[in-house]
Amino acid sequence: MIDKISAQIKNKIGNKQPKTAIILGSGLGKIADELTDKTIIKYEDIEGFPQSSVSGHAGQLVIGRLEGVEILCMQGRVHLYEGHKPQSIDLIIKSFKKLGIEYLIVTNAAGSLDINMPAGSLMLIKDHINFSGQNPLVGVNDDKSGPRFPDLSNAYDHDIRNIVKNTAKKEDIKLYEGVYLMVLGPNFETAAEIKAFRILGADAVGMSTVPEVVSAVHSGMKVLGFSVITNLGTGMRDGKQSHEETLHEGKKASQNLINLLKAYIKETKNG
Ligand code: HPA
């Protein structure tokens, strides 16, 4: 199936050869609009490709140029809370690898566990806690894809993070750095859970990203990750949590992320 999916994408993009893939989170789809010379492929037009069903997640691949560099954008992600098997996420990432992707940039909308990192902040992910209880690598391991017991000690590549931190400084973009904790969802957390996650050492909480990163590291890709903070965690402020707020705040805060990604890609010419 990996070969079948990558062959269909290859067929549609012709001689484009992106080395960087960007997965766009809730309210962050706008980044794909910045690409020039675009080829758009709807997930439903790729046989075997998992379908995304959340509003605010478009469900298409957009392949084009950002700052002159060829990029593959996944506009609309596949979440475990939709009922997808974690292995479906592995299938997507391994198909990208087969296509020649070497760098994966993951983005997400997340709740903050730090009162000093308010809605609208941009957080560089330095590490994660997999609290989802699931893993995309469960099952028979294909040793040609990667090792049975992959090492995650440098999952969010240290050198790439340093480059991005310097770029952010140069561009005068405030960039927090912290640990992302993944819950399965789809409910927002209780106040007690938010307190517990803070004690565990997390700075932000969300319902995605970890499966993609585990799969990418397994296949030897270098990973860069960002959380756009759309709200404070439950119990850290008055009022209810809502997906509408996530989308709204995500859209607002995404301009900083777009500017940072453009500057970074311009600087490194890769991802
Ligand atoms: N919790 C989990 N996922 C999220 C949140 C949150 O508070 N905000 C955006 N995605």
Side-chain angles (χ1 to χ4, degrees):
M1 193 49 95
I2 293 172
D3 289 347
K4 198 168 165 185
I5 289 175
S6 60
Q8 290 174 78
I9 300 171
K10 183 89 207 125
N11 202 14
K12 292 202 160 100
I13 63 176
N15 55 10
K16 286 181 181 161
Q17 185 50 270
K19 286 197 162 48
T20 299
I22 308 182
I23 301 181
L24 303 174
S26 300
L28 305 175
K30 192 167 162 243
I31 298 172
D33 300 339
E34 302 267 326
L35 301 192
T36 56
D37 191 19
K38 274 185 274 204
T39 305
I40 296 177
I41 314 172
K42 289 199 166 15
Y43 299 166
E44 63 197 38
D45 293 333
I46 307 170
E47 204 190 323
F49 201 90
Q51 308 292 311
S52 152
S53 67
V54 193
S55 70
H57 298 253
Q60 57 191 23
L61 300 180
V62 184
I63 301 99
R65 290 177 177 274
L66 191 63
E67 297 293 337
V69 181
E70 264 165 6
I71 303 280
L72 181 154
C73 278
M74 205 178 157
Q75 197 179 27
R77 142 177 292 121
V78 165
H79 298 87
L80 298 185
Y81 64 70
E82 292 171 78
H84 287 290
K85 294 210 163 61
Q87 290 82 359
S88 296
I89 296 179
D90 193 52
L91 175 63
I92 294 172
I93 300 295
K94 297 288 157 63
S95 305
F96 289 174
K97 174 76 180 181
K98 184 90 195 178
L99 206 62
I101 298 293
E102 295 172 16
Y103 299 92
L104 181 69
I105 303 178
V106 282
T107 68
N108 59 54
S112 174
L113 304 179
D114 179 354
I115 196 81
N116 297 314
M117 183 169 67
S121 303
L122 186 57
M123 187 188 94
L124 179 63
I125 304 176
K126 74 170 171 202
D127 207 347
H128 75 223
I129 297 172
N130 184 358
F131 207 78
S132 70
Q134 300 202 31
N135 195 298
L137 305 180
V138 167
V140 176
N141 189 58
D142 177 2
D143 294 337
K144 289 196 289 302
S145 289
R148 171 74 288 188
F149 302 106
D151 167 45
L152 292 186
S153 60
N154 191 32
Y156 299 84
D157 189 84
H158 183 265
D159 296 339
I160 296 185
R161 273 190 288 127
N162 276 341
I163 296 171
V164 169
K165 283 189 266 187
N166 279 328
T167 309
K169 244 185 233 150
K170 269 189 240 160
E171 298 290 315
D172 206 19
I173 294 170
K174 187 165 172 61
L175 186 61
Y176 294 78
E177 191 175 27
V179 173
Y180 176 87
L181 182 144
M182 182 200 176
V183 290
L184 180 59
N187 61 279
F188 285 101
E189 299 68 41
T190 64
E193 285 166 345
I194 291 294
K195 248 190 212 167
F197 295 160
R198 201 179 305 121
I199 293 167
L200 284 180
D203 301 290
V205 59
M207 306 173 193
S208 67
T209 300
V210 165
E212 290 105 325
V213 171
V214 167
S215 189
V217 173
H218 179 244
S219 70
M221 289 183 199
K222 293 215 160 151
V223 174
L224 174 62
F226 297 95
S227 289
V228 166
I229 302 299
T230 55
N231 57 282
L232 286 173
T234 310
M236 293 172 68
R237 54 150 195 180
D238 294 334
K240 294 186 173 175
Q241 308 287 22
S242 77
H243 183 54
E244 289 66 37
E245 181 185 46
T246 299
L247 292 179
H248 183 71
E249 292 295 325
K251 270 190 193 133
K252 256 183 18 192
S254 65
Q255 195 55 49
N256 268 345
L257 180 55
I258 293 174
N259 294 344
L260 181 56
L261 281 179
K262 275 185 171 172
Y264 165 74
I265 283 169
K266 196 170 173 179
E267 199 167 305
T268 59
K269 294 288 169 216
N270 56 37

